[in-house]
Amino acid sequence: MTHPPKSSAAPPVPVGVPAQPGPGGRSGVPVRPDAPDTAAAPRRTAFAEGVDRLRAAATTEPGRLRIIGAVLAALVVAFGAVTAWQTSDRASAADAVLHESQPLSSAAADIYRSLADADTAASSGFLAGGQETEASRDRYEKDIRSAAAGLVEAAENSEPDSPASATIAELNRLLPEYKGLIERARANNRLGYPLGGAYLRYANDKMQTEMLPAAEKLYVSQNERLRADYADATPYPWLAIGAGVLALGALGWAQHRNYRRTNRVLNHGLVAGTAATAVVLLWVVIGHTVARAGLNDSYDHGVRSLNVLNDARIASLKARGNENLTLVNRGAETVEVKPGEFQDKFDVAFKDSMKDLAAGLTAAEGLADDTAGTEPVKAAGGNMKEWQSRHQDARDADDAGDYQTARDKVIGEAADKPTGECFDAVDHNLDVALKHELSQFEQAADGGRNAMTGLTVGAAVLAVLGAAGALIGIGRRLSEYR
């Protein structure tokens, strides 16, 4: 029997069934609608699988407990870390207030005072002529050495390439120039040459227009640094407080949940964790409140008083220098005070400085908060009034043409009742007030800084203990399911 030949053609495709393309795009075996899909499913990510496992674990009590324990530990540790960070920053700023910025501010004020007093001593010596006293010469040299030493200290504590560093370099350049002019003035004055007065006025002009403004700029910049340190030290650590409240709330919720499911009032581990967290939170709030109060007190009753007293002392130095230069100048330079009315340039400056001194003493007396602070300020006020009275007597004598009497009333012996006695008394009393206010500042600032002592380390240690307590408490519950 003869069989029909085999055909290589594909079997017919049933109607309505699509053909599956073969290699090269040719039609191949048809795909039936009910044929299984043999393509491999895409692999899921590790994150998605982890979420699924976490979701599955959350459906069981042991799984939920593990999640709760991990969250509690993380919150308590985060609270400790944030507390350590913020309290460390504030403690460092408080330490800088006490040991860096305030001492540098006082040093800058001392530089200004030394320069102004040196100028005053130089002009006093010039008035004495060839009979310059040894005391006047020694005072001038001491002031110059003090200013130079202050500049060295300021340079060591200033940041390189900072505006303060540039100001210090400028003062270091000007100081030898000023000293050279004073020596030339002295040499010519001893020989009786009028050129000595010109050199002295030139030296004073350099001091008044270049050196003292630069010293004042340094003083202002150091005060700004001091205020910046206060701004860093006094704000409340709100982030740490917020983290502590959140951690404490989560621990309280966990204990309440445990009570509802077990009717057990206390879980020792959770109680220990809650206690450690509460201690840290209270320590942060109370400690920083005490520190803030101490630092604010040191600023209100220390720094502000020191600044006012320094300004008053500077004003008295300016007044004394201008008083001396009024006699040195002898009316050679005048300024118009009213239309058509001219007065001696340095006498006008003296009166302006005395107004600044009076305002400074009034402000200092208002800021002083005890008898030890107010008494020297009041005494300085009495000295100032006597100074003004004696100064007017000297001016009357000078205006009458009696230069020798006017000079004696400014730099003469005690019997002449010179204004120099009044200036020295003002300067002494202001120095006493400054030392008292400095001790007040140091006491208050030190108390504020000490209120944060140990807080950084203590917060970190207690946070670790609190997290451990929370994990132990949750672990005790988990052990009941094994």
Side-chain angles (χ1 to χ4, degrees):
M1 182 176 180
T2 305
H3 295 282
K6 295 181 179 180
S7 173
S8 60
V13 179
V15 178
V17 178
Q20 181 180 12
R26 297 189 300 269
S27 295
V29 180
V31 179
R32 306 184 69 84
D34 56 350
D37 186 6
T38 59
R43 181 177 176 83
R44 304 188 67 212
T45 64
F47 176 77
E49 292 177 354
V51 171
D52 286 344
R53 284 195 296 271
L54 188 63
R55 187 182 293 114
T59 60
T60 66
E61 182 62 12
R64 285 192 287 268
L65 287 173
R66 291 188 180 92
I67 295 171
I68 291 171
V71 171
L72 289 177
L75 286 175
V76 175
V77 170
F79 168 48
V82 172
T83 299
W85 161 51
Q86 290 202 304
T87 55
S88 176
D89 284 350
R90 282 156 179 75
S92 296
D95 190 71
V97 164
L98 186 61
H99 293 123
E100 294 180 18
S101 50
Q102 198 287 321
L104 285 175
S105 176
S106 293
D110 286 342
I111 290 171
Y112 191 108
R113 188 203 67 79
S114 296
L115 291 174
D117 195 59
D119 198 50
T120 298
S123 58
S124 296
F126 186 90
L127 285 176
Q131 294 77 38
E132 181 183 7
T133 64
E134 183 178 355
S136 175
R137 177 79 183 189
D138 289 344
R139 181 170 181 168
Y140 167 81
E141 294 293 344
K142 181 181 177 181
D143 286 331
I144 291 295
R145 288 194 300 269
S146 178
L151 289 172
V152 170
E153 181 183 355
E156 290 175 350
N157 291 281
S158 63
E159 297 179 358
D161 301 326
S162 64
S165 179
T167 302
I168 293 167
E170 179 69 6
L171 284 170
N172 277 322
R173 181 186 66 82
L174 291 171
L175 188 58
E177 295 181 6
Y178 170 81
K179 192 173 181 181
L181 290 171
I182 292 296
E183 293 306 320
R184 292 180 185 178
R186 280 176 171 161
N188 282 275
N189 191 42
R190 290 191 189 101
L191 296 172
Y193 297 159
L195 190 59
Y199 273 118
L200 183 65
R201 286 192 295 272
Y202 186 32
N204 176 261
D205 186 67
K206 181 176 286 292
M207 176 66 75
Q208 297 295 330
T209 61
E210 297 183 58
M211 298 179 70
L212 290 182
E216 185 175 7
K217 183 179 178 182
L218 179 63
Y219 175 59
V220 170
S221 68
Q222 296 302 334
N223 274 342
E224 289 175 353
R225 178 179 173 181
L226 176 60
R227 284 192 291 270
D229 285 338
Y230 267 105
D232 291 338
T234 53
Y236 274 107
W238 292 114
L239 186 59
I241 293 173
V245 171
L246 181 61
L248 205 59
L251 285 164
W253 171 84
Q255 290 179 85
H256 180 67
R257 182 182 185 278
N258 183 63
Y259 169 74
R260 288 175 55 194
R261 280 169 167 70
T262 64
N263 286 327
R264 296 170 185 165
V265 177
L266 297 177
N267 178 295
H268 294 160
L270 290 176
V271 169
T274 302
T277 303
V279 168
V280 175
L281 184 58
L282 287 173
W283 193 358
V284 170
V285 174
I286 295 174
H288 198 78
T289 299
V290 174
R292 180 185 174 95
L295 289 170
N296 285 337
D297 185 61
S298 73
Y299 186 84
D300 292 335
H301 300 289
V303 172
R304 290 178 62 195
S305 294
L306 287 170
N307 288 342
V308 169
L309 288 169
N310 278 322
D311 291 343
R313 199 176 192 187
I314 288 169
S316 72
L317 288 162
K318 286 182 176 179
R320 180 58 176 173
N322 286 318
E323 183 178 48
N324 289 340
L325 287 168
T326 301
L327 293 177
V328 173
N329 189 54
R330 305 185 78 166
E333 295 181 63
T334 59
V335 291
E336 188 174 11
V337 294
K338 293 180 181 179
E341 181 180 343
F342 293 86
Q343 294 182 11
D344 184 275
K345 169 185 174 180
F346 296 105
D347 192 47
V348 171
F350 167 84
K351 294 174 182 176
D352 290 340
S353 296
M354 292 300 279
K355 290 178 183 178
D356 293 338
L357 174 59
L361 292 175
T362 300
E365 186 176 351
L367 289 171
D369 56 354
D370 57 10
T371 304
T374 56
E375 283 185 351
V377 176
K378 288 181 178 179
N383 301 143
M384 180 195 69
K385 291 178 181 178
E386 179 64 20
W387 183 2
Q388 289 174 315
S389 175
R390 294 186 183 185
H391 173 80
Q392 188 57 50
D393 291 341
R395 294 309 311 139
D396 291 342
D398 191 32
D399 291 340
D402 190 353
Y403 178 80
Q404 184 62 40
T405 299
R407 196 199 71 160
D408 291 342
K409 288 184 176 296
V410 173
I411 63 166
E413 301 295 332
D416 299 317
K417 295 184 178 181
T419 59
E421 285 185 345
C422 302
F423 162 71
D424 289 337
V426 168
D427 192 68
H428 170 73
N429 283 310
L430 288 177
D431 186 57
V432 171
L434 279 165
K435 289 178 179 176
H436 172 73
E437 295 300 334
L438 181 60
S439 68
Q440 294 284 89
F441 159 80
E442 290 175 345
Q443 182 179 355
D446 191 54
R449 184 199 58 172
N450 290 339
M452 290 187 281
T453 300
L455 182 54
T456 300
V457 176
V461 171
L462 287 174
V464 171
L465 293 176
L471 291 174
I472 291 171
I474 296 298
R476 292 291 300 273
R477 286 282 293 120
L478 281 171
S479 65
E480 298 173 4
Y481 290 89
R482 299 187 183 122

